[in-house]
Amino acid sequence: MSRTPPPPAAIAPIAAVLLGRAHELGTRMARRIRAEVTYYGGEGPVTLEELTASCRRNTELVFGQLADGCTAGMEPAEETGRRAAREGAPLGELLHAYRVGSEFLWSELAAAARAADAVTADTIVALAAWWVNEGLAAAASDAYRATASELLLQRDRERSVLVEALFTGVLTDRTTLWEAADALGLPAEGPFVVVAAGVPAPGREALPGIEPRLLADRIRSAWRLLPDLQVGVIAARGPDSEAAALRVLGGFAEARVGVSPAYPALRDTPRALRLARLALDRVPTEATGIVRFDDGPVAALVAASVDEAGRIARTVFARVLELPREERARLLETLEQWYAAGGAAAEAARRLYCHRNTVRYRLRRLEELTGRSLQDPRAVADLSVALHALRLLPPGGA
């Protein structure tokens, strides 16, 4: 910060007199600030004694520099700025206080200068230039911003550690989970969903600015950037919160996103992350889009043991998986839509935009390839489990 021009020498005798009144002037300045600046008024976070002591130090600093004809350090103002940042005082209120205090000291100095015959208009102009360059507010503001940046980085690191602890299951005690939720700005109770998004490159966010975007819709969340993923916990409270969160996620056109089922308690976050990862694996690496994990009982059962589920899928659909890709995809999609239609071929045909006889033909083909009849409830259950398991396998993993 520039310390030029130097204070005009002609003002030194006047400043020396005012320096001798620093105790009284600091007290009056504190009262003026307390009356005009909301943050410092009433029973606020800064007591009158603390404010008065700060005002006296700043009065001594200003008039001491003018009396000595030199520029001294701005440590008192800088410490005020640092303390205000640590206490969370609004920067605007701090600067308002410095403006009120500066105007008070200037009026006292100008009144004393006018009474002195030796002080010319040029001296007043030079004094004004020095006053602006040596402004206490600028020193306090610089210190405030530097401290606020340090605190922000520290809070970001602390939040990142807490989010990591949620995802790894380190936090299990109810009290500890409540404290973590409070620190992260999350509610203590769900429902919650976990989001896992594939990053475009290590260190780059897949969903840049996602937290403020969600907050704009009054949806709270907490996020963590990993080498291969950006993961987050979203509080899906309210009837439309989850749908609103999905709309926000859908605004990231180039992202690959997996979303877990909703879950009630933060202690279940590690499992939800695993399900969100499984959902993400269903989005091809070269593609984009959002996949939500099916939270039905069959899907949950399959997800409990992905390796075993994969073995089941490959066993049941062994001959189907040997078919050319397009034919294989057509048969499996038909089976999936048949289940979605409750076993009604006509409804499945409507969903697939084909004739119901085409659906029946494809289902018979599946029966032949798997050796399981869709008239047998046990076979229907086997195929359902195997189909869910197949959907959990990464693309190309079949």
Side-chain angles (χ1 to χ4, degrees), residues 110-311:
R114 282 194 298 270
D117 296 336
V119 177
T120 65
D122 289 341
T123 298
I124 294 295
V125 171
L127 176 62
W130 176 89
W131 193 275
V132 171
N133 278 277
E134 297 300 314
L136 298 173
S141 176
D142 290 345
Y144 180 103
R145 290 190 172 93
T147 302
S149 296
E150 293 171 4
L151 292 172
L152 182 61
L153 288 173
Q154 180 181 338
R155 282 195 292 268
D156 284 347
R157 287 193 293 268
E158 291 172 351
R159 280 178 61 84
S160 184
V161 169
L162 284 175
V163 176
E164 177 72 10
L166 281 180
F167 283 127
T168 57
V170 172
L171 302 178
T172 55
D173 178 77
R174 182 177 179 83
T175 302
T176 306
L177 284 167
W178 183 87
E179 291 171 346
D182 184 61
L184 293 170
L186 296 173
E189 298 179 353
F192 305 96
V193 295
V194 166
V195 173
V199 300
R204 287 182 56 193
E205 293 186 342
L207 308 169
I210 180 62
E211 188 167 351
R213 288 200 196 185
L214 288 170
L215 197 57
D217 281 358
R218 299 184 179 180
I219 300 172
R220 296 185 177 276
S221 61
W223 296 84
R224 176 88 163 91
L225 184 60
L226 304 174
D228 59 334
L229 294 175
Q230 183 178 4
V231 294
V233 181
I234 296 177
R237 304 188 77 178
D240 300 321
S241 293
E242 187 173 350
L246 290 174
R247 284 196 299 272
V248 174
L249 291 169
F252 294 87
E254 299 182 359
R256 298 171 54 247
V257 180
V259 182
S260 78
Y263 61 100
L266 282 174
R267 63 174 176 273
D268 297 325
T269 299
R271 176 180 179 274
L273 174 60
R274 185 160 59 85
L275 299 182
R277 283 177 176 268
L278 289 172
L280 176 62
D281 285 342
R282 293 306 311 156
V283 185
T285 304
E286 66 279 2
T288 60
I290 300 173
V291 172
R292 191 181 184 280
F293 188 87
D294 179 2
D295 57 355
V298 173
L301 182 63
V302 168
S305 179
V306 177
D307 291 341
E308 182 63 17
R311 187 192 66 78

Side-chain angles (χ1 to χ4, degrees), residues 326-368:
E326 290 186 6
E327 183 180 0
R328 176 182 67 203
R330 190 162 50 244
L331 292 179
L332 292 173
E333 176 66 14
T334 299
L335 181 60
E336 192 165 279
Q337 293 303 326
W338 183 77
Y339 277 112
E347 175 60 19
R350 188 189 67 80
R351 291 166 177 258
L352 292 165
Y353 303 100
C354 65
H355 196 276
R356 61 179 176 275
N357 288 338
T358 302
V359 171
R360 294 190 180 105
Y361 167 78
R362 293 174 184 173
L363 294 176
R364 285 196 299 272
R365 177 86 169 122
L366 277 166
E367 288 177 322
E368 294 171 2

